[in-house]
Amino acid sequence: MAMVNIETKLPPALVLGQLSGSLTALLPRLSGLADIIPKDTLLWKLNLLKSAASYTNSRLHAITAEVLVLASGKDQMLPSGDEARRLSRSLQYCEIRYFEDNGHAILLEGGVNLLTVIKGTCTYRRSRRHDFVTDFLPPSMSEFNQALERNGLFRFATSPVMFSTLEDGKIVRGLAGVPNEGPVILVGYHMLLGFELAPLVEEFLKEKNVLVRGIAHPELFKLSAESSYVESAFLDLLKIFGATPATAGNLFKLLSTKSHILLYPGGAREALHRKGETYKLFWPDQPEFVRMAARFGATIVPFGTVGEDDIAELILDYNDLMRIPVVNDYLRKRNEGLVRLRTEIDGELANQDLYLPGLLPKIPGRFYYLFGKPIQTKGRESILKDRENAKELYLQVKSEVERNIAYLIRKREEDPYRGIIERILYQVTSVPTHNTPTFKP
C-alpha cells in the first residue's frame, strides 16, 4: 500500500524518501487495526490462509484444464509477474500474457481487452480442441484500429502501393482486379521476415472489407514460455487476424468456407533467404495447391512484391551465423525440436531451419505490390486432375509471380516518391491525401 503512489523509475534516494513518508502517514491507521480485528482473529485468519494456500499449491500439478494467466507489471498489491512464472511451472497447460504498464485491477483498466487476449492465445473453442477455421472470430473494429496504430510508423516509412490487374489485362492502382467473392488463393513471393504481410492485410480490409487468411508455419503457433511472456505479442496479432497453420486440412477447410487465402509456396526458406537471394523464388517442384484449388473452383491470383532491399540490408544470414562458434550449436539445438515441413524434399529447399538474420536499416524506400490477372480453375476440375496439367498451371503461376516482381523492380525507378524524404516533402506541401502518388502503371 505504501508503494501505490510512488514512481519506481525515480532515483533510489527519492524512492526511499517517498516510501518513508508513506509509511509514516499509515501509522495512525495501523493503531486502530486492533479495534477492528482482534489479534487472535487475525492470527487465525492468517493460519487459515496459509493452510489453504499450501493445499492449493500441492494440487496445482493435477489441473489438466487450459489456464490463461494475465500478469501486471505495475501491480503494487501482489507480485503478479513472479506468481505468473510460478504458475507456469506448476500447471500443465498454462499460457501467460504480461502487461507491463498495467496495475492490479488489469481488467478494469484501459487498453486491455479480455476477448482480444483470448483470441490471440487460441483459448476460445467450440469443441475439445481449438480449430483455426471453425473457431475463428474475425477481428473487431477496435482490434483493427489498434493494429493500424501499432503499424503506423512502419506504414508511414514504407508507404505501400498496391496495383492489380483487371480481366482485360490493364494494371490499375488499388485492388479492383482481385475478386470480391471467394474462394481466392493469393500466391506470391515472401519478403524477408514477412515484411509485406501487415500492409497487405490492412489494405484488403480497408479497401475490400476482406480478411485475408494467411497460411503460416506451424512453429509460429507453438509459443515457448519465453516468447509468450510478452505484452500483446506479434504472434498473437497474427492469430487475431486469421493466420492458420500450414496443413492440408486447414487449406481444405478455408477453401470450403470460400475464404481469401494468402499462400507462400516458398515458405520459411524464402522468408529467411540468404545474401544474394533477394526476390528469388524457392518453390518446390510439385504443384501442392493447384489440384485442391481446382476441386473447389478457386480463383488463383499470383502476386509479386518488392521493397525489402529499400528498408534494410542483410548483413548476417544463416550461412554467416553457422560459421560462428557457439552460435551454430545454439541454432542446431534450437531447430532440432521444431516442426518440419516438406521433409520428403531434398536439396536446398529442404533447408527450412529458422533463425533471426542480422539487418542494417536503411533510409526507407517504398513497398510495391502487383496482383496479376486472376486465373480461374472453376470448370477445369477434370483437366487439373491430371498431374501434368496441374504442373503446367503451377509453373504458369510461378512465372506470373516472377514477371510481377520484375515489373515492379523496373517501374519503381520511375516513382518520384520512392524515397521517404520526397514523400514527406510532398505531404507537407500538398493537400492532405490518403495516397501519395507513384509511377503510372
Side-chain angles (χ1 to χ4, degrees):
M1 292 176 63
M3 291 289 293
V4 170
N5 295 319
I6 297 178
E7 177 57 58
T8 56
K9 294 182 180 180
L10 293 174
L14 292 178
V15 172
L16 288 174
Q18 291 187 13
L19 179 60
S20 175
S22 298
L23 291 172
T24 303
L26 286 174
L27 288 177
R29 302 180 184 180
L30 294 177
S31 62
L33 184 61
D35 299 330
I36 301 173
I37 305 178
K39 180 180 178 181
D40 292 340
T41 302
L42 181 60
L43 289 175
W44 176 78
K45 288 190 173 184
L46 290 175
N47 287 329
L48 183 64
L49 182 62
K50 182 178 180 181
S51 175
S54 298
Y55 176 79
T56 302
N57 289 331
S58 69
R59 301 298 300 165
L60 287 177
H61 70 279
I63 297 176
T64 58
E66 294 181 11
V67 179
L68 176 59
V69 177
L70 308 186
S72 304
K74 294 184 178 179
D75 190 340
Q76 304 294 349
M77 298 187 67
L78 297 171
S80 297
D82 294 338
E83 185 66 8
R85 294 187 186 92
R86 186 184 71 83
L87 288 173
S88 69
R89 293 191 295 267
S90 301
L91 296 167
Q92 296 184 40
Y93 307 103
C94 180
E95 287 273 5
I96 301 174
R97 289 300 177 267
Y98 185 69
F99 298 85
E100 184 177 1
D101 296 324
N102 291 89
H104 183 70
I106 185 172
L107 296 180
L108 300 178
E109 301 175 12
V112 179
N113 187 316
L114 180 58
L115 179 58
T116 301
V117 179
I118 289 174
K119 291 195 293 185
T121 53
C122 299
T123 309
Y124 172 78
R125 64 175 186 261
R126 294 184 176 91
S127 57
R128 185 168 182 174
R129 297 183 62 182
H130 177 82
D131 189 296
F132 284 90
V133 179
T134 59
D135 291 335
F136 176 70
L137 297 175
S140 64
M141 182 57 69
S142 63
E143 289 166 346
F144 177 62
N145 289 333
Q146 287 178 1
L148 285 178
E149 182 179 353
R150 177 174 300 179
N151 294 321
L153 183 60
F154 185 75
R155 186 170 58 256
F156 172 78
T158 58
S159 186
V161 183
M162 307 275 174
F163 295 97
S164 61
T165 309
L166 303 179
E167 289 291 341
D168 60 3
K170 181 181 180 181
I171 298 176
V172 296
R173 185 167 184 178
L175 301 173
V178 180
N180 294 321
E181 300 296 328
V184 174
I185 305 182
L186 308 173
V187 185
Y189 167 72
H190 213 350
M191 273 194 193
L192 184 65
L193 294 177
F195 284 140
E196 81 287 353
L197 283 170
L200 188 153
V201 173
E202 288 178 3
E203 196 62 29
F204 267 84
L205 278 169
K206 285 193 295 183
E207 183 174 334
K208 302 182 78 69
N209 195 28
V210 167
L211 179 63
V212 176
R213 302 294 304 274
I215 301 295
H217 196 290
E219 197 61 37
L220 295 177
F221 301 86
K222 292 178 57 181
L223 293 176
S224 63
E226 294 80 14
S227 62
S228 65
Y229 201 70
V230 294
E231 178 184 7
S232 300
F234 173 72
L235 299 180
D236 285 359
L237 195 63
L238 289 180
K239 289 176 276 188
I240 291 170
F241 279 82
T244 306
T247 67
N250 285 335
L251 180 59
F252 182 94
K253 292 176 184 177
L254 288 173
L255 287 169
S256 65
T257 56
K258 298 185 177 181
S259 302
H260 281 64
I261 304 165
L262 181 60
L263 182 64
Y264 295 106
R269 180 60 182 85
E270 204 166 88
L272 298 174
H273 60 69
R274 318 313 188 223
K275 293 177 182 176
E277 295 176 348
T278 306
Y279 306 130
K280 180 181 178 180
L281 301 186
F282 288 89
W283 291 21
D285 292 331
Q286 61 269 32
E288 296 175 319
F289 61 89
V290 171
R291 298 174 74 186
M292 191 176 292
R295 177 172 181 175
F296 289 92
T299 302
I300 300 174
V301 180
F303 75 93
T305 175
V306 302
E308 65 177 76
D309 54 339
D310 266 358
I311 64 169
E313 179 182 354
L314 180 58
I315 57 174
L316 277 177
D317 64 8
Y318 179 80
N319 297 330
D320 295 326
L321 294 173
M322 292 302 290
R323 297 189 189 101
I324 303 175
V326 180
V327 176
N328 54 14
D329 291 335
Y330 170 79
L331 284 177
R332 289 192 189 97
K333 292 179 181 178
R334 182 72 179 85
N335 280 278
E336 280 177 0
L338 300 185
V339 177
R340 290 285 179 178
L341 300 177
R342 296 169 176 163
T343 54
E344 74 284 357
I345 298 177
D346 297 324
E348 186 58 33
L349 291 180
N351 188 359
Q352 298 279 334
D353 285 357
L354 305 183
Y355 77 102
L356 190 63
L359 302 178
L360 180 65
K362 294 181 179 179
I363 298 176
R366 202 170 193 182
F367 280 5
Y368 303 88
Y369 301 73
L370 174 57
F371 295 88
K373 185 177 178 180
I375 300 173
Q376 304 291 339
T377 64
K378 190 173 183 179
R380 304 172 63 184
E381 295 89 341
S382 59
I383 299 176
L384 293 175
K385 283 183 179 179
D386 180 76
R387 288 188 175 274
E388 290 302 318
N389 292 332
K391 180 71 175 292
E392 183 179 343
L393 180 57
Y394 178 76
L395 294 177
Q396 178 189 345
V397 174
K398 182 178 180 181
S399 177
E400 284 294 322
V401 172
E402 292 173 331
R403 186 179 296 110
N404 291 341
I405 293 173
Y407 174 87
L408 292 173
I409 291 175
R410 183 178 74 255
K411 293 292 288 186
R412 70 176 175 177
E413 300 294 335
E414 303 174 12
D415 186 359
Y417 303 104
R418 178 179 173 184
I420 189 172
I421 296 176
E422 290 79 6
R423 294 196 298 273
I424 292 176
L425 291 175
Y426 171 82
Q427 294 169 2
V428 169
T429 58
S430 305
V431 178
T433 179
H434 174 67
N435 291 321
T436 302
T438 184
F439 61 81
K440 291 183 179 181

